[in-house]
Amino acid sequence: MCPRPVVRRIVAMRKDGRKLQSIADELNRDEIPTAAGKPEWKRPHVHRILGTAVASALRDELTSTEDTSVSGGELFSGDRGCQAA
């Protein structure tokens, strides 16, 4: 399961128009593991996360607010990856 801050970060980047591979590349640069605990994100991983109910709820939340910044403190506080619970 991917932590909500990571999903929110992915959703915000996608909402900002980022391509799936660009999102994966950034998560890799920041050394954030995938939901399966793997060290490398690929485009299908990002696509899968964007298809979850959590991502859908966060899309609705981001649509109703003006702050979609992916560099805000909320997105990165305790944000150490999508390690399986």
Side-chain angles (χ1 to χ4, degrees), residues 9-21:
R9 179 178 177 185
I10 291 169
V11 169
M13 286 190 283
R14 187 64 170 166
K15 186 176 185 313
D16 286 343
R18 301 274 298 272
K19 295 189 180 291
L20 298 177
Q21 188 60 53

Side-chain angles (χ1 to χ4, degrees), residues 30-58:
D30 292 346
E31 299 180 353
I32 302 204
T34 68
K38 300 197 185 268
E40 183 179 4
W41 284 85
K42 296 183 181 191
R43 199 172 52 81
H45 299 136
V46 175
H47 185 263
R48 194 171 311 122
I49 294 295
L50 288 168
T52 65
V54 173
S56 179
L58 287 168

